[in-house]
Amino acid sequence: MKSGIIDRDQLVKRVTDAGGQWDVLVIGGGASGLGIALEAVTRGYKTLLLEQYDFAKGTSSRSTKLVHGGVRYLAQGDIALVREASIERGLLQKNAPHLVKNQTFIVPVYSFWDRIKYTIGLKAYDWIAGRLSLGSSVFISRKKTLAAIPDVRSKGLVGGVLYHDGQFDDSRLALNLAQTIIEQGGVAVNYMKVTALEKGPEQQPAGVIVEDTERGASYKVKAKTVINATGVFVDDILRMDNPVAAKSVVASQGIHLVLDKSFFSSAHALMIPKTNDGRVLFAVPWHNEVVVGTTDTLVGAPSVEPRPLEKEIEFILETAGAYLLKKPARKDVLSVFAGLRPLAAPKEGAQKTKEISRSHKIMISPNGLFTIIGGKWTTYRKMGEDMMNSVEKKQGWPAKATQTPDLRIHGFAMGMDWSDPFYFYGSDAADIKAKSNGHWISERLKINKAQVEWAVTHEMARTVEDVLARRTRALLLDARESIRISTEVATIMAGILNQDEQWVKDEVKRFDGLAQQYILQ
Ligand SMILES: Cc1cc2nc3c(=O)[nH]c(=O)nc-3n(C[C@H](O)[C@H](O)[C@H](O)COP(=O)(O)OP(=O)(O)OC[C@H]3O[C@@H](n4cnc5c(N)ncnc54)[C@H](O)[C@@H]3O)c2cc1C
C-alpha cells in the first residue's frame, strides 16, 4: 500500500487469488468484525474481512457516539460489564486519541434524593474505572450547573453531578480500523456479500461464496475458520450453516435526533438518567451540532436502513422539551437516524430490552461456525480478543498473546485541537489540508473537494452515500445540506472512479432518495 492509497480492485484480486486458504475469514465489517479481524491479523493469521455494503453501514455508524463504561449498566448492577468497558474505554483513548475525546457530562438534579443517588452512583462509576477513570465526578451547585448548561430547565433545579466519559466518531473509527487491518497485511473489502457457506467433508465451514456486488461476480473463497460477525443479521449466516438453527438474536431499535447547537449550546453533554419511562437520555455535542437520543424498541425483521418510528420521534422531542428551555419541534430536526442493537435473544420468555445483557456472547455451532453477538462499540477490541482466544482453543492452534492493547490505530495523533474541522483525520489531516484549495462544497459542514478525493483514494469510498454518511458525517449532521451537495460530490467521485454522467445521475438519485428518510416532514 503506497502512501495509504487503497486500491479496491487489488484487494478483490487478493481475495480471489489467495491461492489456498485464509486462516480466518470474518463476515461483517462493523465494530465486531473489524475488532476480530484486527485481532486475527496482529496475531499473525492470514485474515480476510468481507462486508456486504460499506464498513459500518449497519449499526456501527448509528450509535450515540459514546466510548463509555455504561452508567446505566451500573444502575442494573452489572459491575463486571462496567469494569470491562472502562478498561476498554481507556485503551481506545490511548490507541485512537484522534477520535476519542474526554467528554464531561452533567446530570441535572431536581431533588435532594437524586443528588445523593447520583453523586454516590457516579463516584462508584469512577471507583470501578480506577486509574482508567477519565476524571473525577463531582456535585456542583445550582449556580454552577446553570452556568455550565444554561439551556436546561432551571425550575426546581438543585444542582448537578458532573462526570467524565468518552465521545467518538463511530464510522471514522471503523474506517481507521479497516485501514489498520490492511496495513497489518490483512484484507478488508466492502461491497462483498457472503451468499453461502462452503462445507468440508464433515460439514464444517470451509469457506464462503461471495458476490462482489459492484461487478456482479461471485467467487469461492477457502478458509480454515469462518466467523459470523453480522450484527442483527447473524441468523441469516447461521441458517446457511444449519437451515433449522434457532433464532439467536433480537433487534432493539434506537433512534437519535440531531439538532442545532442553539438547543443545547454547552460544551458539556447532558445526561438524564431516568426519563419518565425509565430510559436514559443523552444530548451530546458532536461536530458542531447536538445528538439527542436514544430509544430502545424491540423490532421484528431487521433492516439495513431501519426507519424511526413516530412514537420514538415523539418520545425524544417530548423528553428533550421537558428538560431544555428551547423546546425542539419536528421542523428543527436536522437529521434523524436509527440503528439496531444486536442483542442476544433471551433464553426464556419476553424480557424488556433494557434488561437483556449488553455483554457479548460467542457461539460455536456444532459444525464449527463461530458467531459473535451483542456487545458494544466500546468493547470491540475485547470482543476480538475473546473471539480469537476461542478460535485458537477450538482449532487446537497454539495460543498467541494479544497485540491490540498497545496497537496504534490508523490516524493516531496526540494533542488534538477539537475545534479543527479536520481533527478526525488525525495524522492524515495535514495531507488533506495540503490538497485543499480553500473552496468549500459545504461551508456549513466544512466539507471540501480534497476530502471527497481522499475518501475515494485512501478510504475505499465507492458511492456518494459512503462519502456523505460515513467518511464525512453530512447525512447524519444535516440531511438537507447533504442533498444540496450530492451532485458535486458525485461529479468529483466520477472523475476518479472513471464513471460517466449516467453514474452521477444514478448515484445522486439513490442518495437523495435515502437522505429523504433522514428528514422529518
Ligand atoms: C441506538 C444505538 C446506540 C448505541 N450507542 C452506543 C454507544 O454510544 N457506545 C457504544 O459503545 N455502543 C453503542 N451501541 C452499540 C454498538 O453500536 C453496537 O454494539 C455495534 O455497532 C454492533 O456492531 P456489529 O459489528 O456487531 O454490527 P453491525 O455494525 O451491524 O455490523 C454488521 C455488518 O455485517 C454486514 N453483513 C450482514 N450480512 C452480511 C453478509 N451476508 N455478507 C457480508 N456482510 C454482511 C452488515 O452489512 C453490517 O455492516 C449503540 C447501538 C445502538 C443501536
Side-chain angles (χ1 to χ4, degrees), residues 138 190 273 295 330 367 399 450 462 489:
V138 51
N190 50 7
T295 50
R330 295 178 77 88
N367 292 330
R462 312 299 293 177
V489 168

Side-chain angles (χ1 to χ4, degrees), residues 26-35 49-69 72-73 85 92 166 168 170 189 191-196 209-211 228-234 236-237 240 252-256 282 293-296 304 337-343 358 372-380 383:
V26 182
I27 313 172
S32 312
L34 290 160
L49 179 146
L50 300 169
E51 163 55 48
Q52 64 176 345
Y53 299 109
D54 186 26
F55 304 110
K57 160 78 181 174
T59 304
S60 298
S61 57
R62 302 155 188 272
S63 76
T64 312
K65 330 293 177 202
L66 302 181
V67 181
H68 58 161
R72 76 168 160 180
Y73 313 126
L92 188 51
F168 80 130
D170 47 13
V189 206
Y191 296 102
M192 297 289 272
K193 181 181 171 75
V194 169
T195 54
I209 299 185
V210 60
E211 185 191 343
N228 174 13
T230 52
V232 287
F233 301 102
V234 289
D236 295 348
I237 308 290
M240 292 178 189
S252 164
Q253 177 156 299
I255 74 152
H256 295 88
F282 289 103
T294 181
T295 50
D296 214 332
V304 75
F337 59 93
L340 299 176
R341 293 178 192 86
L343 303 182
R358 301 294 153 112
I372 192 154
I373 45 181
K376 47 192 197 143
W377 241 125
T378 307
T379 54
Y380 86 96
M383 291 162 69

Side-chain angles (χ1 to χ4, degrees), residues 160-214:
V161 185
L162 179 148
Y163 73 99
H164 296 252
D165 239 327
Q167 198 267 321
F168 80 130
D169 188 307
D170 47 13
S171 68
R172 291 294 317 171
L173 177 59
L175 291 168
N176 286 169
L177 288 171
Q179 289 168 309
T180 312
I181 292 164
I182 294 167
E183 284 159 8
Q184 293 285 328
V187 171
V189 206
N190 50 7
Y191 296 102
M192 297 289 272
K193 181 181 171 75
V194 169
T195 54
L197 294 183
E198 289 276 279
K199 294 297 189 88
E202 277 144 30
Q203 285 306 301
Q204 76 276 22
V208 300
I209 299 185
V210 60
E211 185 191 343
D212 178 345
T213 59
E214 265 196 8

Side-chain angles (χ1 to χ4, degrees), residues 111-305:
S111 79
F112 177 72
W113 286 116
D114 278 355
R115 170 182 172 165
I116 307 260
K117 192 165 73 187
Y118 298 133
T119 308
I120 294 175
L122 288 160
K123 281 283 176 208
Y125 194 55
D126 296 349
W127 178 77
I128 292 170
R131 62 182 178 80
L132 293 165
S133 163
L134 299 183
S136 298
S137 61
V138 51
F139 177 80
I140 54 172
S141 66
R142 172 186 156 90
K143 196 173 161 199
K144 280 192 179 157
T145 305
L146 285 175
I149 44 173
D151 306 299
V152 295
R153 172 166 63 86
S154 57
K155 194 170 167 223
L157 188 80
V158 173
V161 185
L162 179 148
Y163 73 99
H164 296 252
D165 239 327
Q167 198 267 321
F168 80 130
D169 188 307
D170 47 13
S171 68
R172 291 294 317 171
L173 177 59
L175 291 168
N176 286 169
L177 288 171
Q179 289 168 309
T180 312
I181 292 164
I182 294 167
E183 284 159 8
Q184 293 285 328
V187 171
V189 206
N190 50 7
Y191 296 102
M192 297 289 272
K193 181 181 171 75
V194 169
T195 54
L197 294 183
E198 289 276 279
K199 294 297 189 88
E202 277 144 30
Q203 285 306 301
Q204 76 276 22
V208 300
I209 299 185
V210 60
E211 185 191 343
D212 178 345
T213 59
E214 265 196 8
R215 305 176 186 195
S218 277
Y219 311 101
K220 277 186 187 173
V221 182
K222 286 188 200 163
K224 293 179 189 161
T225 305
V226 178
I227 301 174
N228 174 13
T230 52
V232 287
F233 301 102
V234 289
D235 286 329
D236 295 348
I237 308 290
L238 281 163
R239 285 180 189 142
M240 292 178 189
D241 176 48
N242 169 12
V244 293
K247 188 175 164 64
S248 60
V249 87
V250 290
S252 164
Q253 177 156 299
I255 74 152
H256 295 88
L257 305 183
V258 179
L259 300 172
D260 180 80
K261 280 253 11 154
S262 61
F263 287 89
F264 186 75
S265 56
S266 177
H268 304 283
L270 177 71
M271 200 277 223
I272 308 295
K274 200 160 187 184
T275 59
N276 55 13
D277 76 340
R279 295 178 195 160
V280 174
L281 192 89
F282 289 103
V284 185
W286 189 58
H287 293 298
N288 236 10
E289 315 290 355
V290 55
V291 177
V292 188
T294 181
T295 50
D296 214 332
T297 319
L298 268 188
V299 292
S303 148
V304 75
E305 266 304 332

Side-chain angles (χ1 to χ4, degrees), residues 344-502:
K347 280 220 170 66
E348 43 187 272
Q351 282 181 42
K352 283 192 178 165
T353 63
K354 295 196 285 285
E355 290 155 13
I356 300 174
S357 173
R358 301 294 153 112
S359 63
H360 56 277
K361 182 169 152 193
I362 291 170
M363 303 188 314
I364 309 171
S365 77
N367 292 330
L369 172 69
F370 291 80
T371 296
I372 192 154
I373 45 181
K376 47 192 197 143
W377 241 125
T378 307
T379 54
Y380 86 96
R381 191 212 64 81
K382 183 68 168 55
M383 291 162 69
E385 182 183 332
D386 289 353
M387 174 58 88
M388 285 314 298
N389 289 346
S390 297
V391 168
E392 285 171 347
K393 196 166 165 205
K394 171 81 179 144
Q395 302 288 44
W397 298 347
K400 294 187 181 173
T402 179
Q403 307 295 317
T404 49
D406 298 314
L407 184 82
R408 290 181 170 184
I409 292 163
H410 181 99
F412 176 99
M414 305 270 282
M416 302 311 297
D417 169 5
W418 302 109
S419 64
D420 178 344
F422 288 4
Y423 82 82
F424 54 84
Y425 290 109
S427 57
D428 288 335
D431 284 345
I432 299 169
K433 282 181 188 170
K435 293 181 202 304
S436 305
N437 64 3
H439 163 70
W440 293 114
I441 298 171
S442 168
E443 181 153 18
R444 176 170 148 54
L445 297 176
K446 297 282 178 284
I447 297 173
N448 70 20
K449 187 178 175 202
Q451 286 171 275
V452 179
E453 290 168 346
W454 187 269
V456 177
T457 54
H458 290 71
E459 297 176 342
M460 232 191 292
R462 312 299 293 177
T463 68
V464 170
E465 182 196 330
D466 296 348
V467 172
L468 291 178
R470 292 171 292 275
R471 306 308 184 276
T472 69
R473 308 311 305 271
L475 177 63
L476 277 68
L477 290 167
D478 188 340
R480 288 182 183 86
E481 176 71 353
S482 74
I483 291 175
R484 191 187 69 75
I485 63 177
S486 62
T487 304
E488 191 170 350
V489 168
T491 309
I492 296 166
M493 293 182 76
I496 309 169
L497 293 169
N498 289 324
Q499 298 286 3
D500 58 14
E501 247 175 67
Q502 191 55 47

